[in-house]
Amino acid sequence: MTDKTIWEPLRRELDRWQAAGRVARFWLRDDDAVEPTLALEMQLALTGESAVPLTLAVIPGLTGGALAARLAGEAGVTVAVHGWSHTNHARPEGKKQELGGDRPADVVLGELGEGLRLLQRLHPTRFLPVLVPPWNRIDAALIPALPALGFTALSVYGRAQQDGPVPLLNTHVDIIDWHGTRGGRSEAELVAELVAELDDRFAGSDEPIGVLTHHLVHDAAAWNFLSALFAATGRHPAVHWSAALALLKR
């Protein structure tokens, strides 16, 4: 059960936005999709019932027609490119990274180009030429080459830096406790992060707030948080859950 008092700070912040006649833009990115699973069904059901557009970061080298067939009737879902195979090529002492400088750039870029073309063929009506690097990491030297491959945006984690080689559509609140339980983080902690992001936007930033999920590792805490988040924001006049495509067109 969700403790409703935990959500009061978010409700107060959203009411402040409403009183000021402003609307906060949220978007949802879910990483590591490969094939139809029970967890994916739960994610699709939850976002569908809540009318929250969903961007699935799909791993090209591990996916195929089964996922494409399952998503065929899902109007609110778009597909982005999640690297190539989500393989760590970093040295043992380095942070995990597939798109790093430990391999020749032409090899990495060749995989990304192949991944883009594959997902474009599999998901022609819902494909977004957006690169989501595995582990949210990419060697900065590769980024200028992305437009030539067909990518129109990059999505990583954290506040977006301006004036880069490609537009950024980032995520900011990760609901998974990767360094602890590897399940859902505490609601109070996540609510505090959402309020902090909203306060930053209220002060002047117009960057959409990205919520990051990983359906394959969701536990009860993660599902409960998402349900409560969608309930708290879905009908609030100061919130608009936006499709990634609409945000990129701005």
Side-chain angles (χ1 to χ4, degrees):
M1 294 294 291
T2 294
D3 182 351
K4 293 182 179 180
T5 62
I6 291 175
W7 291 84
E8 279 303 317
L10 179 62
R11 281 189 279 268
R12 288 196 300 268
E13 180 66 18
L14 292 178
D15 289 346
R16 179 169 75 124
W17 279 67
Q18 183 182 2
R22 298 180 61 183
V23 177
R25 295 174 298 153
F26 283 75
W27 77 289
L28 180 65
R29 195 188 93 200
D30 184 278
D31 289 2
D32 299 348
V34 171
E35 61 186 355
T37 61
L38 177 58
L40 180 61
E41 291 300 325
M42 294 174 67
Q43 184 77 311
L44 293 173
L46 181 57
T47 54
E49 292 166 3
S50 305
V52 172
L54 172 64
T55 295
L56 283 175
V58 176
I59 304 172
L62 303 180
T63 195
L67 181 63
R70 174 59 189 88
L71 297 180
E74 298 289 339
V77 179
T78 52
V79 167
V81 182
H82 199 27
W84 169 245
S85 63
H86 213 302
T87 300
N88 177 28
H89 294 285
R91 296 176 183 176
E93 67 276 11
K95 292 182 178 181
K96 291 181 177 180
Q97 190 169 6
E98 181 174 62
L99 312 181
D102 295 306
R103 295 189 296 159
D106 60 335
V107 172
V108 179
L109 294 172
E111 290 179 350
L112 290 178
E114 184 176 352
L116 182 146
R117 293 187 293 272
L118 174 63
L119 293 187
Q120 197 168 33
R121 289 196 303 271
L122 288 172
H123 306 273
T125 63
R126 66 190 67 256
F127 176 72
L128 285 179
V130 174
L131 175 61
V132 179
W135 298 286
N136 288 296
R137 300 186 185 109
I138 181 171
D139 191 302
L142 298 173
I143 297 176
L146 296 180
L149 295 178
F151 290 102
T152 58
L154 176 67
S155 181
V156 289
Y157 189 81
R159 303 288 172 86
Q161 302 299 314
Q162 302 301 316
D163 302 323
V166 293
L168 289 173
L169 182 59
N170 284 0
T171 55
H172 310 89
V173 178
D174 188 341
I175 76 168
I176 300 299
D177 177 14
W178 293 108
H179 301 293
T181 66
R182 297 187 69 82
R185 295 168 59 201
S186 78
E187 286 188 339
E189 191 175 81
L190 289 167
V191 167
E193 286 190 10
L194 288 168
V195 170
E197 294 292 339
L198 283 163
D199 184 62
D200 172 75
R201 306 310 191 275
F202 197 87
S205 171
D206 64 351
E207 185 178 1
I209 298 172
V211 176
L212 176 58
T213 64
H214 289 74
H215 65 275
L216 290 174
V217 299
H218 286 189
D219 58 2
W223 292 120
N224 289 340
F225 171 79
L226 280 183
S227 296
L229 174 63
F230 296 159
T233 59
R235 295 183 181 179
H236 199 289
V239 175
H240 183 259
W241 281 96
S242 303
L245 179 60
L247 294 172
L248 291 170
K249 286 181 176 180
R250 291 179 65 90

